[in-house]
Amino acid sequence: MFVDMSFKSRLAAFIRFDRNDYNDASMFIRTLAHELARFDHRLGQAIVDELTKNKQIVDVTELSTQFNRLILEPLRTHQQDLQNEGSIVIIVDGLDECSHLDRAETGSRDQLLQLLIDNPFRLFPFVRLVLASRPEEDINVMLAGRKHIVAFPLDISSVETKDDIKHFLEHKLSEVDKKHPESGFLELCRQKNAVDELSMRASGLFIWASSIVAFVANYPERLERVLKTDVPKNALQALDTLYETALESVAGEAGDEDIQADIRRVLGGI
């Protein structure tokens, strides 16, 4: 939406934390500077000028110092022109997935949250920051009740969420069919009304929808087994049913002795 809302994209940056891939908060300012440089050549040149003046800035552990030099100074240099062109949007997704592991050393996650508390773009009202995150304790404690932050708790039971999950399932199941068109898996899904049935069992959880696609993809018997389960009453029950069904299915399938052995090791360890 932000890309298409004007004659020129208003999406200045999209940064997505991922616990398995991009989870280091100390990299955030450098990533944001890179995204802003790609978004607007004037900002890009201003960021290059800052780096030319002080190449060591990328090695500084204080995020606020990096932020002032690499983000605020370039914005200040071109503030009037950028402001006249309209709002620009920075999206940060999965804030909760940036790691706690460096807390004892540099505390990058805490530094990033402190930056957000300090309303970093208060002098640049044309910059809008959109954050998406699970409500983890430190994030809630530090960001809740701030006057410059408008919070929108997501309702997993809403019609919009259910529609989003249906769209996600349709897309992912069609991808399976493209990879293995000879399997007829998508046709089976249509016959079983799988998208609607699975979305009802997701209870508003994208992690459930993502896991179920990985589990049933090209395994008709697994799909049948999941569709035979009762529609859960809440999100916790949805996850319990999913994991129980997955364990029972995988552990009982012929030719999966290695998986069965792995499961025994995990259960033995627990």
Side-chain angles (χ1 to χ4, degrees):
M1 182 183 72
F2 292 133
V3 167
D4 295 330
M5 70 187 299
S6 181
F7 67 93
K8 179 186 174 185
S9 170
R10 307 319 299 159
L11 181 60
F14 175 75
I15 300 173
R16 183 175 69 89
F17 283 104
D18 184 307
R19 67 172 65 93
N20 298 315
D21 182 25
Y22 179 83
N23 63 3
D24 185 356
S26 69
M27 295 290 294
F28 177 76
I29 304 303
R30 282 172 275 177
T31 305
L32 179 57
H34 179 261
E35 292 289 302
L36 291 177
R38 291 176 60 207
F39 169 71
D40 189 287
H41 67 90
R42 295 165 297 186
L43 290 176
Q45 187 57 56
I47 291 168
V48 169
D49 292 344
E50 288 295 327
L51 286 167
T52 302
K53 286 188 286 186
N54 184 359
K55 294 179 181 177
Q56 284 73 38
I57 189 64
V58 295
D59 299 319
V60 173
T61 56
E62 289 80 16
L63 293 188
S64 58
T65 302
Q66 285 190 5
F67 188 78
N68 286 331
R69 296 285 183 84
L70 297 178
I71 308 300
L72 296 187
E73 281 302 324
L75 284 172
R76 192 173 290 115
T77 301
H78 297 287
Q79 180 171 2
Q80 194 59 54
D81 288 341
L82 291 169
Q83 189 165 302
N84 290 340
E85 293 170 11
S87 297
I88 62 175
V89 182
I90 297 167
I91 298 177
V92 181
D93 190 20
L95 180 63
D96 55 290
E97 298 211 7
C98 64
S99 177
H100 292 276
L101 295 180
D102 69 340
R103 180 168 284 178
E105 299 173 11
T106 61
S108 297
R109 174 166 164 145
D110 289 343
Q111 285 192 59
L112 179 54
L113 291 175
Q114 187 61 51
L115 260 182
L116 299 175
I117 289 173
D118 294 340
N119 193 6
F121 296 109
R122 60 187 175 278
L123 299 178
F124 307 96
F126 59 93
V127 179
R128 305 293 186 182
L129 182 61
V130 180
L131 301 173
S133 175
R134 293 185 183 92
E136 291 196 353
E137 184 177 5
D138 61 330
I139 294 173
N140 264 352
V141 168
M142 295 185 78
L143 300 187
R146 306 289 171 177
K147 290 182 179 179
H148 64 285
I149 297 176
V150 180
F152 291 93
L154 297 182
D155 179 7
I156 63 172
S157 64
S158 71
V159 173
E160 290 84 358
T161 299
K162 292 175 182 175
D163 287 344
D164 284 345
I165 287 178
K166 284 179 67 173
H167 178 73
F168 174 83
L169 289 169
E170 286 172 351
H171 176 67
K172 289 298 182 181
L173 291 174
S174 65
E175 281 187 345
V176 173
D177 189 64
K178 288 176 184 176
K179 292 177 182 176
H180 306 281
E182 75 287 348
S183 68
F185 184 72
L186 189 59
E187 182 56 35
L188 174 66
C189 290
R190 292 193 182 106
Q191 292 173 10
K192 299 290 182 180
N193 195 23
V195 169
D196 287 338
E197 292 291 333
L198 292 175
S199 63
M200 284 193 294
R201 287 163 174 77
S203 294
L205 299 176
F206 273 90
I207 185 63
W208 192 99
S210 177
S211 299
I212 206 67
V213 170
F215 175 60
V216 304
N218 247 9
Y219 286 91
E221 64 282 358
R222 293 183 182 180
L223 177 62
E224 298 266 11
R225 192 160 193 161
V226 171
L227 295 180
K228 288 178 181 177
T229 62
D230 295 332
V231 176
K233 296 178 181 178
N234 53 52
L236 185 60
Q237 188 182 6
L239 290 173
D240 278 349
T241 302
L242 169 62
Y243 297 138
E244 285 175 11
T245 306
L247 280 170
E248 288 172 1
S249 298
V250 174
E253 287 171 0
D256 279 336
E257 289 83 3
D258 56 332
I259 296 178
Q260 295 172 28
D262 288 342
I263 291 172
R264 282 195 291 272
R265 290 190 191 96
V266 171
L267 294 177
I270 292 172

